[in-house]
Amino acid sequence: MSDRDGGPVSGGPGGAAGHRIRILLHCRAPAEGMTPIEDAYHEISKTLDGTPGLLGNELLHSLIEDDAFVVMSEWESVEAFRSWDEGPDHKDQTAGLRPYQDSTRRPWDMYVVRASY
């Protein structure tokens, strides 16, 4: 993945090395409804099962905007995410959701987990 200017993703402010990270992919449902996003999410999740460093993912549906979704994936480290992201399978594995990426905003973001309870 690259940053907004096309450069490689870095650890970000304060660094992320050795910390869990979460990737958020913002999507919009097509006119025919939410089924295509749900179907693509399930297929991609099956494909990604067992990916080294991937701790899990969730499909989140907005309670504010009916057509807004977020796919949140959690990774054991930024290094694990980068290894997968820069690997040969990434583009094919996630192609099913690409048509639904929200073009009205940055379609993805990356967060480091700094604290949790």
Side-chain angles (χ1 to χ4, degrees):
M1 207 165 268
S2 61
D3 69 13
R4 192 171 262 179
D5 299 319
V9 171
S10 66
H19 292 275
R20 288 179 297 149
I21 64 164
R22 294 190 179 139
I23 306 298
L24 303 179
L25 176 67
H26 301 275
C27 298
R28 291 278 174 185
E32 60 266 25
M34 64 179 79
T35 301
I37 286 182
E38 291 174 329
D39 290 347
Y41 168 77
H42 290 298
E43 283 302 312
I44 290 168
S45 295
K46 290 175 194 171
T47 301
L48 293 178
D49 187 39
T51 298
L54 178 62
L55 301 175
N57 63 70
E58 296 177 324
L59 178 63
L60 309 175
H61 183 214
S62 173
L63 293 174
I64 308 298
E65 299 175 84
D66 284 343
D67 65 341
F69 288 82
V70 171
V71 176
M72 188 280 301
S73 60
E74 184 171 12
W75 295 81
E76 66 185 24
S77 67
V78 70
E79 295 84 7
F81 172 74
R82 282 188 186 138
S83 179
W84 170 78
D85 185 56
E86 295 168 0
D89 299 327
H90 167 230
K91 298 293 184 201
D92 289 339
Q93 289 175 323
T94 59
L97 280 172
R98 206 159 288 120
Y100 310 112
Q101 288 183 359
D102 186 349
S103 62
T104 66
R105 60 179 296 150
R106 179 183 176 135
W108 65 270
D109 214 336
M110 176 186 284
Y111 293 87
V112 62
V113 177
R114 301 305 289 187
S116 65
Y117 292 87

PDB file of all heavy atoms in Angstrom, residues 10-35:
ATOM      1  N   SER A  10       4.715   4.256   5.943  1.00  0.00           N
ATOM      2  CA  SER A  10       5.723   4.186   6.999  1.00  0.00           C
ATOM      3  C   SER A  10       5.047   3.838   8.309  1.00  0.00           C
ATOM      4  O   SER A  10       3.834   3.728   8.382  1.00  0.00           O
ATOM      5  CB  SER A  10       6.443   5.530   7.125  1.00  0.00           C
ATOM      6  OG  SER A  10       5.543   6.513   7.578  1.00  0.00           O
ATOM      7  N   GLY A  11       5.856   3.705   9.329  1.00  0.00           N
ATOM      8  CA  GLY A  11       5.315   3.409  10.649  1.00  0.00           C
ATOM      9  C   GLY A  11       4.446   4.521  11.184  1.00  0.00           C
ATOM     10  O   GLY A  11       3.643   4.320  12.053  1.00  0.00           O
ATOM     11  N   GLY A  12       4.571   5.716  10.648  1.00  0.00           N
ATOM     12  CA  GLY A  12       3.741   6.840  11.056  1.00  0.00           C
ATOM     13  C   GLY A  12       4.288   7.521  12.286  1.00  0.00           C
ATOM     14  O   GLY A  12       5.309   7.132  12.829  1.00  0.00           O
ATOM     15  N   PRO A  13       3.603   8.562  12.752  1.00  0.00           N
ATOM     16  CA  PRO A  13       4.057   9.296  13.930  1.00  0.00           C
ATOM     17  C   PRO A  13       4.196   8.372  15.131  1.00  0.00           C
ATOM     18  O   PRO A  13       3.313   7.585  15.418  1.00  0.00           O
ATOM     19  CB  PRO A  13       2.950  10.326  14.155  1.00  0.00           C
ATOM     20  CG  PRO A  13       2.246  10.443  12.847  1.00  0.00           C
ATOM     21  CD  PRO A  13       2.391   9.104  12.184  1.00  0.00           C
ATOM     22  N   GLY A  14       5.316   8.457  15.791  1.00  0.00           N
ATOM     23  CA  GLY A  14       5.527   7.631  16.973  1.00  0.00           C
ATOM     24  C   GLY A  14       5.955   6.222  16.640  1.00  0.00           C
ATOM     25  O   GLY A  14       6.263   5.441  17.514  1.00  0.00           O
ATOM     26  N   GLY A  15       5.977   5.868  15.348  1.00  0.00           N
ATOM     27  CA  GLY A  15       6.404   4.539  14.921  1.00  0.00           C
ATOM     28  C   GLY A  15       5.368   3.478  15.211  1.00  0.00           C
ATOM     29  O   GLY A  15       4.559   3.616  16.112  1.00  0.00           O
ATOM     30  N   ALA A  16       5.385   2.431  14.424  1.00  0.00           N
ATOM     31  CA  ALA A  16       4.435   1.338  14.614  1.00  0.00           C
ATOM     32  C   ALA A  16       5.131  -0.002  14.716  1.00  0.00           C
ATOM     33  O   ALA A  16       4.474  -1.014  14.879  1.00  0.00           O
ATOM     34  CB  ALA A  16       3.433   1.324  13.460  1.00  0.00           C
ATOM     35  N   ALA A  17       6.445  -0.006  14.622  1.00  0.00           N
ATOM     36  CA  ALA A  17       7.172  -1.275  14.657  1.00  0.00           C
ATOM     37  C   ALA A  17       6.843  -2.035  15.930  1.00  0.00           C
ATOM     38  O   ALA A  17       6.898  -1.501  17.027  1.00  0.00           O
ATOM     39  CB  ALA A  17       8.669  -1.021  14.548  1.00  0.00           C
ATOM     40  N   GLY A  18       6.462  -3.297  15.762  1.00  0.00           N
ATOM     41  CA  GLY A  18       6.181  -4.148  16.912  1.00  0.00           C
ATOM     42  C   GLY A  18       4.795  -3.965  17.516  1.00  0.00           C
ATOM     43  O   GLY A  18       4.448  -4.659  18.455  1.00  0.00           O
ATOM     44  N   HIS A  19       3.982  -3.063  17.000  1.00  0.00           N
ATOM     45  CA  HIS A  19       2.627  -2.841  17.507  1.00  0.00           C
ATOM     46  C   HIS A  19       1.603  -3.427  16.549  1.00  0.00           C
ATOM     47  O   HIS A  19       1.816  -3.434  15.341  1.00  0.00           O
ATOM     48  CB  HIS A  19       2.328  -1.342  17.647  1.00  0.00           C
ATOM     49  CG  HIS A  19       3.114  -0.663  18.718  1.00  0.00           C
ATOM     50  ND1 HIS A  19       2.714  -0.646  20.025  1.00  0.00           N
ATOM     51  CD2 HIS A  19       4.268   0.031  18.664  1.00  0.00           C
ATOM     52  CE1 HIS A  19       3.592   0.041  20.744  1.00  0.00           C
ATOM     53  NE2 HIS A  19       4.553   0.460  19.937  1.00  0.00           N
ATOM     54  N   ARG A  20       0.487  -3.883  17.093  1.00  0.00           N
ATOM     55  CA  ARG A  20      -0.619  -4.295  16.234  1.00  0.00           C
ATOM     56  C   ARG A  20      -1.094  -3.090  15.442  1.00  0.00           C
ATOM     57  O   ARG A  20      -1.056  -1.966  15.935  1.00  0.00           O
ATOM     58  CB  ARG A  20      -1.789  -4.826  17.061  1.00  0.00           C
ATOM     59  CG  ARG A  20      -1.523  -6.171  17.683  1.00  0.00           C
ATOM     60  CD  ARG A  20      -2.694  -6.628  18.504  1.00  0.00           C
ATOM     61  NE  ARG A  20      -2.876  -5.689  19.613  1.00  0.00           N
ATOM     62  CZ  ARG A  20      -4.047  -5.381  20.173  1.00  0.00           C
ATOM     63  NH1 ARG A  20      -5.151  -5.939  19.759  1.00  0.00           N
ATOM     64  NH2 ARG A  20      -4.108  -4.524  21.161  1.00  0.00           N
ATOM     65  N   ILE A  21      -1.546  -3.339  14.228  1.00  0.00           N
ATOM     66  CA  ILE A  21      -2.112  -2.256  13.419  1.00  0.00           C
ATOM     67  C   ILE A  21      -3.474  -2.697  12.890  1.00  0.00           C
ATOM     68  O   ILE A  21      -3.772  -3.892  12.827  1.00  0.00           O
ATOM     69  CB  ILE A  21      -1.199  -1.834  12.241  1.00  0.00           C
ATOM     70  CG1 ILE A  21      -1.036  -2.980  11.238  1.00  0.00           C
ATOM     71  CG2 ILE A  21       0.129  -1.326  12.742  1.00  0.00           C
ATOM     72  CD1 ILE A  21      -0.480  -2.522   9.912  1.00  0.00           C
ATOM     73  N   ARG A  22      -4.262  -1.717  12.536  1.00  0.00           N
ATOM     74  CA  ARG A  22      -5.570  -1.969  11.926  1.00  0.00           C
ATOM     75  C   ARG A  22      -5.665  -1.185  10.631  1.00  0.00           C
ATOM     76  O   ARG A  22      -5.297  -0.014  10.580  1.00  0.00           O
ATOM     77  CB  ARG A  22      -6.693  -1.582  12.879  1.00  0.00           C
ATOM     78  CG  ARG A  22      -6.683  -2.501  14.082  1.00  0.00           C
ATOM     79  CD  ARG A  22      -7.885  -2.364  14.946  1.00  0.00           C
ATOM     80  NE  ARG A  22      -7.740  -3.319  16.053  1.00  0.00           N
ATOM     81  CZ  ARG A  22      -8.063  -3.040  17.294  1.00  0.00           C
ATOM     82  NH1 ARG A  22      -8.543  -1.868  17.606  1.00  0.00           N
ATOM     83  NH2 ARG A  22      -7.899  -3.948  18.231  1.00  0.00           N
ATOM     84  N   ILE A  23      -6.135  -1.858   9.612  1.00  0.00           N
ATOM     85  CA  ILE A  23      -6.334  -1.245   8.308  1.00  0.00           C
ATOM     86  C   ILE A  23      -7.837  -1.085   8.128  1.00  0.00           C
ATOM     87  O   ILE A  23      -8.601  -2.026   8.348  1.00  0.00           O
ATOM     88  CB  ILE A  23      -5.766  -2.131   7.175  1.00  0.00           C
ATOM     89  CG1 ILE A  23      -4.301  -2.486   7.427  1.00  0.00           C
ATOM     90  CG2 ILE A  23      -5.972  -1.462   5.818  1.00  0.00           C
ATOM     91  CD1 ILE A  23      -3.352  -1.319   7.475  1.00  0.00           C
ATOM     92  N   LEU A  24      -8.253   0.101   7.724  1.00  0.00           N
ATOM     93  CA  LEU A  24      -9.662   0.381   7.467  1.00  0.00           C
ATOM     94  C   LEU A  24      -9.846   0.645   5.979  1.00  0.00           C
ATOM     95  O   LEU A  24      -9.194   1.529   5.425  1.00  0.00           O
ATOM     96  CB  LEU A  24     -10.128   1.596   8.264  1.00  0.00           C
ATOM     97  CG  LEU A  24      -9.939   1.530   9.771  1.00  0.00           C
ATOM     98  CD1 LEU A  24     -10.419   2.823  10.418  1.00  0.00           C
ATOM     99  CD2 LEU A  24     -10.666   0.337  10.358  1.00  0.00           C
ATOM    100  N   LEU A  25     -10.709  -0.124   5.350  1.00  0.00           N
ATOM    101  CA  LEU A  25     -11.034   0.050   3.942  1.00  0.00           C
ATOM    102  C   LEU A  25     -12.471   0.555   3.862  1.00  0.00           C
ATOM    103  O   LEU A  25     -13.401  -0.149   4.270  1.00  0.00           O
ATOM    104  CB  LEU A  25     -10.891  -1.280   3.185  1.00  0.00           C
ATOM    105  CG  LEU A  25     -11.294  -1.242   1.726  1.00  0.00           C
ATOM    106  CD1 LEU A  25     -10.335  -0.358   0.925  1.00  0.00           C
ATOM    107  CD2 LEU A  25     -11.345  -2.652   1.163  1.00  0.00           C
ATOM    108  N   HIS A  26     -12.641   1.766   3.356  1.00  0.00           N
ATOM    109  CA  HIS A  26     -13.962   2.394   3.267  1.00  0.00           C
ATOM    110  C   HIS A  26     -14.613   2.029   1.939  1.00  0.00           C
ATOM    111  O   HIS A  26     -14.005   2.177   0.878  1.00  0.00           O
ATOM    112  CB  HIS A  26     -13.830   3.913   3.384  1.00  0.00           C
ATOM    113  CG  HIS A  26     -13.191   4.337   4.666  1.00  0.00           C
ATOM    114  ND1 HIS A  26     -13.902   4.493   5.826  1.00  0.00           N
ATOM    115  CD2 HIS A  26     -11.902   4.607   4.981  1.00  0.00           C
ATOM    116  CE1 HIS A  26     -13.090   4.856   6.794  1.00  0.00           C
ATOM    117  NE2 HIS A  26     -11.861   4.931   6.311  1.00  0.00           N
ATOM    118  N   CYS A  27     -15.855   1.548   2.019  1.00  0.00           N
ATOM    119  CA  CYS A  27     -16.577   1.111   0.832  1.00  0.00           C
ATOM    120  C   CYS A  27     -17.975   1.715   0.799  1.00  0.00           C
ATOM    121  O   CYS A  27     -18.510   2.117   1.831  1.00  0.00           O
ATOM    122  CB  CYS A  27     -16.708  -0.411   0.813  1.00  0.00           C
ATOM    123  SG  CYS A  27     -15.153  -1.302   0.736  1.00  0.00           S
ATOM    124  N   ARG A  28     -18.543   1.750  -0.402  1.00  0.00           N
ATOM    125  CA  ARG A  28     -19.931   2.178  -0.610  1.00  0.00           C
ATOM    126  C   ARG A  28     -20.666   1.075  -1.348  1.00  0.00           C
ATOM    127  O   ARG A  28     -20.159   0.527  -2.329  1.00  0.00           O
ATOM    128  CB  ARG A  28     -19.999   3.454  -1.459  1.00  0.00           C
ATOM    129  CG  ARG A  28     -19.484   4.688  -0.789  1.00  0.00           C
ATOM    130  CD  ARG A  28     -20.527   5.283   0.111  1.00  0.00           C
ATOM    131  NE  ARG A  28     -19.963   6.394   0.865  1.00  0.00           N
ATOM    132  CZ  ARG A  28     -20.599   7.046   1.789  1.00  0.00           C
ATOM    133  NH1 ARG A  28     -21.839   6.713   2.101  1.00  0.00           N
ATOM    134  NH2 ARG A  28     -20.029   8.024   2.437  1.00  0.00           N
ATOM    135  N   ALA A  29     -21.851   0.766  -0.887  1.00  0.00           N
ATOM    136  CA  ALA A  29     -22.655  -0.256  -1.548  1.00  0.00           C
ATOM    137  C   ALA A  29     -23.133   0.274  -2.897  1.00  0.00           C
ATOM    138  O   ALA A  29     -23.428   1.460  -3.037  1.00  0.00           O
ATOM    139  CB  ALA A  29     -23.858  -0.619  -0.680  1.00  0.00           C
ATOM    140  N   PRO A  30     -23.221  -0.607  -3.873  1.00  0.00           N
ATOM    141  CA  PRO A  30     -23.755  -0.188  -5.172  1.00  0.00           C
ATOM    142  C   PRO A  30     -25.264   0.008  -5.089  1.00  0.00           C
ATOM    143  O   PRO A  30     -25.895  -0.329  -4.071  1.00  0.00           O
ATOM    144  CB  PRO A  30     -23.395  -1.354  -6.084  1.00  0.00           C
ATOM    145  CG  PRO A  30     -23.352  -2.539  -5.177  1.00  0.00           C
ATOM    146  CD  PRO A  30     -22.852  -2.007  -3.851  1.00  0.00           C
ATOM    147  N   ALA A  31     -25.846   0.509  -6.147  1.00  0.00           N
ATOM    148  CA  ALA A  31     -27.292   0.790  -6.182  1.00  0.00           C
ATOM    149  C   ALA A  31     -28.131  -0.444  -5.875  1.00  0.00           C
ATOM    150  O   ALA A  31     -29.205  -0.333  -5.287  1.00  0.00           O
ATOM    151  CB  ALA A  31     -27.678   1.369  -7.545  1.00  0.00           C
ATOM    152  N   GLU A  32     -27.631  -1.635  -6.236  1.00  0.00           N
ATOM    153  CA  GLU A  32     -28.427  -2.848  -6.004  1.00  0.00           C
ATOM    154  C   GLU A  32     -28.432  -3.320  -4.556  1.00  0.00           C
ATOM    155  O   GLU A  32     -29.072  -4.299  -4.221  1.00  0.00           O
ATOM    156  CB  GLU A  32     -28.016  -3.985  -6.949  1.00  0.00           C
ATOM    157  CG  GLU A  32     -26.591  -4.427  -6.845  1.00  0.00           C
ATOM    158  CD  GLU A  32     -25.650  -3.736  -7.837  1.00  0.00           C
ATOM    159  OE1 GLU A  32     -25.943  -2.626  -8.291  1.00  0.00           O
ATOM    160  OE2 GLU A  32     -24.611  -4.317  -8.124  1.00  0.00           O
ATOM    161  N   GLY A  33     -27.706  -2.636  -3.677  1.00  0.00           N
ATOM    162  CA  GLY A  33     -27.761  -2.965  -2.263  1.00  0.00           C
ATOM    163  C   GLY A  33     -26.458  -3.495  -1.701  1.00  0.00           C
ATOM    164  O   GLY A  33     -25.412  -3.448  -2.341  1.00  0.00           O
ATOM    165  N   MET A  34     -26.527  -4.021  -0.485  1.00  0.00           N
ATOM    166  CA  MET A  34     -25.328  -4.412   0.240  1.00  0.00           C
ATOM    167  C   MET A  34     -24.848  -5.831  -0.055  1.00  0.00           C
ATOM    168  O   MET A  34     -23.729  -6.192   0.293  1.00  0.00           O
ATOM    169  CB  MET A  34     -25.529  -4.221   1.739  1.00  0.00           C
ATOM    170  CG  MET A  34     -26.594  -5.066   2.377  1.00  0.00           C
ATOM    171  SD  MET A  34     -26.734  -4.797   4.162  1.00  0.00           S
ATOM    172  CE  MET A  34     -27.670  -3.286   4.203  1.00  0.00           C
ATOM    173  N   THR A  35     -25.641  -6.639  -0.705  1.00  0.00           N
ATOM    174  CA  THR A  35     -25.268  -8.031  -0.960  1.00  0.00           C
ATOM    175  C   THR A  35     -23.937  -8.180  -1.697  1.00  0.00           C
ATOM    176  O   THR A  35     -23.120  -9.028  -1.311  1.00  0.00           O
ATOM    177  CB  THR A  35     -26.400  -8.770  -1.701  1.00  0.00           C
ATOM    178  OG1 THR A  35     -27.579  -8.714  -0.891  1.00  0.00           O
ATOM    179  CG2 THR A  35     -26.040 -10.215  -1.963  1.00  0.00           C
TER     180      THR A  35
END
